[in-house]
Amino acid sequence: MTPEAGPEAPGLRAEPIPGLPEVEEGDPLGRLIAAAATRARIELGSASVVCVSQKVVSKAEGRVLALGDVVPGPGAIRLAGELGKDPALVELVLAESRSVLRAERGALICETHSGLVCANAGIDASNVPGENRVALLPADPDDSARRLRSELRAELGAPPAVVISDSFGRAWRLGQAEIAIGCAGLAPLDDLRGELDRDGRELAASAIAVADQLASAADLARHKRSGTPAVVISGADRWITSEDGPGAAALRRPEAEDLFR
């Protein structure tokens, strides 16, 4: 799903959608986003990309748990003691993980059941109301993106593309960057391999992670403490597709090509 080569994009604009309420399990997230955009006079349509934080999607899907309700098993208790972590949290991390890739220096790097590689299986307590409550990642982030796009289509008629994003660390760089853990209606990867650069040389490795870069652009348009989980991006038309597409799963490096496992 590589877009055709063409002129430079006219420029991207990222605009936070204000006014979303605190979302709870079962809330119609697509309807809430569409209504908030209408109140703020922000245009949403088939030429837009809506970037939504993972946390609000997890809340709507009921993926929030109280650590006090979790009973850690012997393996979690042992590992928690070695890493200095809460045994209940470690139990959740293990339950949400296909495999544990690293467990050292206080860190648990896991591959989730949906194929994401991240710290603590993406489980996080920030921006989750209540004591000792944590949010899990959506069970299938691409499916979540497809459902959200369908909800927006029902509200708006012409659906925007959808990106569900989360903050991930990078092994070789300080700080976190927002990446797409799910997407729909978007070509997630702009694969330029085989094309020619301006000097006529064949590109051998250029494949642009479009969905990740849009997620990062959206994150810069809002503040982590602002309570604004949705951002609309305009100017990304050339990557938007009418079909839902392969999702962010297309960005995962196959294990056979992973040099660091």
Side-chain angles (χ1 to χ4, degrees):
M1 297 187 66
T2 302
E4 294 182 2
E8 296 290 342
L12 298 180
R13 175 180 172 84
E15 187 173 5
I17 302 176
L20 265 74
E22 180 64 38
V23 170
E24 299 180 352
E25 182 177 359
D27 283 348
L29 185 56
R31 186 186 307 167
L32 294 175
I33 290 173
T38 298
R39 288 193 301 270
R41 298 183 178 179
I42 296 173
E43 183 177 351
L44 287 183
S46 57
S48 307
V49 180
V50 176
C51 293
V52 186
S53 71
Q54 161 268 318
K55 197 68 58 64
V56 74
V57 175
S58 293
K59 290 176 181 177
E61 293 182 353
R63 298 279 288 168
V64 177
L65 296 175
L67 289 177
D69 295 335
V70 178
V71 179
I77 293 172
R78 175 188 57 77
L79 191 55
E82 294 174 1
L83 298 174
K85 287 184 172 292
D86 184 333
L89 173 62
V90 174
E91 179 66 33
L92 277 182
V93 170
L94 295 178
E96 290 294 305
S97 300
R98 177 187 300 170
S99 62
V100 176
L101 305 182
R102 294 287 188 277
E104 57 183 275
R105 287 175 281 180
L108 265 173
I109 308 301
C110 306
E111 181 180 9
T112 69
H113 294 297
S114 65
L116 296 166
V117 175
C118 51
N120 296 328
I123 298 172
D124 184 19
S126 64
N127 294 313
V128 179
E131 288 293 322
N132 293 319
R133 287 164 58 82
V134 295
L136 315 183
L137 294 180
D140 184 338
D142 280 327
D143 189 53
S144 298
R146 290 188 288 267
R147 285 200 306 271
L148 181 53
R149 191 180 192 218
S150 179
E151 293 174 17
L152 289 167
R153 178 187 288 110
E155 297 296 320
L156 302 168
V162 171
V163 170
I164 296 174
S165 69
D166 196 12
S167 297
F168 274 39
R170 286 87 48 80
W172 304 278
R173 298 180 71 82
L174 296 175
Q176 293 79 40
E178 204 79 358
I179 72 160
I181 63 170
C183 68
L186 190 72
L189 191 71
D190 193 352
D191 192 345
L192 305 178
R193 291 173 295 180
E195 297 186 17
L196 302 180
D197 68 11
R198 64 180 183 177
D199 296 314
R201 287 185 288 267
E202 183 175 320
L203 298 172
S206 296
I208 311 304
V210 172
D212 286 345
Q213 299 212 54
L214 291 175
S216 290
D219 194 48
L220 292 177
R222 64 185 171 210
H223 195 285
K224 293 293 187 186
R225 296 193 298 270
S226 67
T228 308
V231 173
V232 59
I233 294 179
S234 55
D237 314 40
R238 61 180 169 144
W239 295 293
I240 296 175
T241 60
S242 58
E243 297 180 352
D244 285 341
L251 293 168
R252 296 181 206 143
R253 188 180 299 279
E255 187 170 346
E257 298 177 14
D258 190 334
L259 302 180
F260 299 94
R261 297 252 182 155

